[in-house]
Amino acid sequence: MSEKRENWGSKLGMILAMAGNAIGLGNFWRFPYQAAKNGGGAFMIPYFGALILLGIPLMLVEWNLGREGGKYGHGTLGPMVYLQAREGVKPKSAAVLGALAGALAFAVTVLVNSYYNHIIGWTLGYAWMSATGGYMDKAVETGDIFVKYIQSPGRFIVFWVIALGFLGFAVMRGIQAGIEAWAKFMMPTIYIFGILLIIRTLTLGAPVNPDWTPIAGLNYIWTPRWDALNWTAALAAAGQIFFTLSIGMGIIPNYASYLKPEDDIVLSGVATVSLNELAEVILGGTIAIPIAYTFLGEKGLKSGVGLSFIALPNIFRQMAGGQIFGTFWFLLLFFAGFTSAIAMYNYIVALIEEELGIKKTTASIMVFALYIILGLPVGLEAGLTKTADLAVLSELDNWVGSYLLVILGLIEVIACGWLMKDKALETMNKGSYWKVPKWFFTLFIQVLTPVATIILLFFSTKDYISQGYFNLIPEVYIKAGLGSWALFARILIVLVLILGFYQSYTSIKKRY
Ligand code: PHE
Ligand code: NA
């Protein structure tokens, strides 16, 4: 711990790395199908509500947690939350709360990345296929091509391992030469590819049906539809805000721990949110949805998760310049996913470095092995069961990628707003260009944000119960013959949570 903690090299590099952390497949792959599935214009209303009620306040809370934790040499959430919680409760309770936070962040970074890395691998594989004409043969349905891709180990494993190798290599080089350098290259490229794709999208005309134009596709998500507003859409919107901003994952605080004690966090946090939203609603919303609408009408938007990997390739092979734009699209997805996965990867590397005193290079190799071992069952499921339903991936996404995030966010905002109170406002504003006003802290961080998070958690729980997710093995998986795969995922989640709790608790005890 005596070594000096690494820092970001420049403010621009830091912001790009943070934006890279937030901007991911969530913006380009998850957002369009969530918006489409939940009624378009009916989705955007709760979406912006959640951005203000949850997104911005929690982002500030996380930057503050991270920068303060970094002062004590911590890049992980357990001790970070402990340090804040002990301002308001007994050290023992603070340690339990910290360990709970540490366990959740550990579960997210270990388990979300083990499926997310596969999707990154798919994007790289599809970029390659776009460039080489791999799905251009109109005699084969793009749905079949996709299923074949994920079912053949020989195909998906190659690109998955390449992507993981690049990730390990990037993290190994450290904060400045690794993470920051890759973000400086990849982030501007995302915006350039995005703008080129938007121009192509908006000039598609109406090749299939005179009513199906890119503008009609845009109207679909941008016309507010108050009447179609419901709880399902609101829950999905709030969940999307958590996911897209990387909130409740521990990775924003980890990046913030490499700030210097006097570095601004308020303006930088808001800048990160803005860059993410620009990439989400402008780039993410103006590419996939209007393209799908132009070629397939409203029913094209119902293709859910398959939008990016099935519907769009089918369109790329029909449109002029499709091979080039297909390559841009999948490379854009790859860069976006990559710069987020680096953050998850780095979290575990930081944990190993700080807790076990192991060198970064060795730690990076250990994490590479961990992701291979955990990722294998996730990846092989499709091939072994010969279905395209992925029970392990869905279970990990349902619980770790959607549900646990909210619990973690709740712990963080309680530690900040209810336990640390005014002292948190003081630290937040240290060195900041914009000052968070007292009324904002009281109204949002102490009242509205925790209350909204509790409501979100309550209704999500109700929703999960009614869908049968709280049964030992949910009906949906049993029907699909994937019961044991789902059970496997669940056991894995519980084990990782226990391990994470034990690790965080003992580490807090040892240090304080
Ligand atoms: N914010 C990321 C996104 O939008 C979420 C994420 C981060 C997922 C890191 C996985 C790893 O995609
Ligand atoms: Na995002």
Side-chain angles (χ1 to χ4, degrees), residues 19-28 116 240-241 243-246 276-277 279-280 340:
N21 180 330
I23 298 172
L25 298 175
N27 300 51
F28 301 99
Y116 198 85
Q240 175 63 19
I241 286 297
F243 192 93
T244 190
L245 293 175
S246 301
N276 182 71
E277 291 315 303
E280 180 144 299
S340 294

Side-chain angles (χ1 to χ4, degrees), residues 164-176:
L164 263 176
F166 276 125
L167 281 174
F169 179 71
V171 171
M172 206 181 268
R173 307 266 333 254
I175 298 301
Q176 293 187 16

Side-chain angles (χ1 to χ4, degrees), residues 43-357:
F43 179 79
M44 297 311 287
I45 299 161
Y47 179 84
F48 283 112
L51 177 64
I52 291 166
L53 273 180
L54 300 166
I56 295 171
L58 281 166
M59 190 59 99
L60 294 173
V61 166
E62 291 208 334
W63 280 68
N64 190 42
L65 262 173
R67 190 188 56 180
E68 297 306 299
K71 281 190 204 162
Y72 295 82
H74 298 301
T76 61
L77 218 57
M80 284 177 185
V81 166
Y82 166 79
L83 287 171
Q84 300 212 338
R86 74 173 179 187
E87 302 284 336
V89 286
K90 294 215 177 69
K92 180 129 189 138
S93 318
V96 171
L97 202 65
L100 210 55
L104 291 166
F106 184 66
V108 175
T109 47
V110 168
L111 296 175
V112 170
N113 234 21
S114 51
Y115 71 80
Y116 198 85
N117 287 335
H118 277 294
I119 310 177
I120 295 174
W122 302 348
T123 62
L124 190 60
Y126 264 74
W128 172 261
M129 281 162 65
S130 306
T132 57
Y135 54 73
M136 283 295 153
D137 177 5
K138 289 193 187 143
V140 196
E141 299 237 5
T142 49
D144 295 338
I145 296 176
F146 180 64
V147 170
K148 185 133 178 239
Y149 181 90
I150 62 170
Q151 286 185 351
S152 327
R155 295 182 188 212
F156 78 81
I157 286 184
V158 177
F159 291 102
W160 173 56
V161 173
I162 294 177
L164 263 176
F166 276 125
L167 281 174
F169 179 71
V171 171
M172 206 181 268
R173 307 266 333 254
I175 298 301
Q176 293 187 16
I179 297 177
E180 199 172 329
W182 284 78
K184 276 187 185 157
F185 159 66
M186 286 184 168
M187 296 316 290
T189 315
I190 287 178
Y191 283 95
I192 294 170
F193 284 175
I195 289 166
L196 292 173
L197 281 157
I198 286 183
I199 295 174
R200 183 69 194 101
T201 305
L202 295 179
T203 53
L204 281 173
V208 181
N209 176 323
D211 291 336
W212 296 351
T213 61
I215 301 297
L218 285 178
N219 276 336
Y220 179 79
I221 49 167
W222 288 111
T223 311
R225 300 197 350 240
W226 297 93
D227 54 315
L229 197 59
N230 57 36
W231 270 110
T232 316
L235 282 184
Q240 175 63 19
I241 286 297
F242 266 84
F243 192 93
T244 190
L245 293 175
S246 301
I247 283 170
M249 301 182 167
I251 57 183
I252 297 280
N254 174 258
Y255 272 19
S257 75
Y258 304 105
L259 290 166
K260 298 192 189 88
E262 298 296 320
D263 279 344
D264 169 275
I265 57 174
V266 179
L267 183 57
S268 307
V270 173
T272 303
V273 173
S274 311
L275 285 171
N276 182 71
E277 291 315 303
L278 193 69
E280 180 144 299
V281 298
I282 306 296
L283 303 185
T286 315
I287 302 169
I289 292 180
I291 295 189
Y293 198 94
T294 304
F295 282 85
L296 305 162
E298 208 176 311
K299 72 168 193 315
L301 304 178
K302 299 281 182 291
S303 61
V305 192
L307 190 60
S308 296
F309 292 97
I310 299 172
L312 290 184
N314 186 30
I315 292 165
F316 289 137
R317 65 188 188 185
Q318 298 173 41
M319 77 190 217
Q323 233 177 302
I324 296 171
F325 287 100
T327 311
F328 285 171
W329 169 249
F330 286 109
L331 275 183
L332 175 151
L333 287 182
F334 175 66
F335 290 169
F338 189 87
T339 48
S340 294
I342 286 189
M344 295 247 166
Y345 201 120
N346 189 69
Y347 185 95
I348 309 183
V349 168
L351 185 110
I352 297 176
E353 282 181 292
E354 289 160 18
E355 302 299 334
L356 304 175

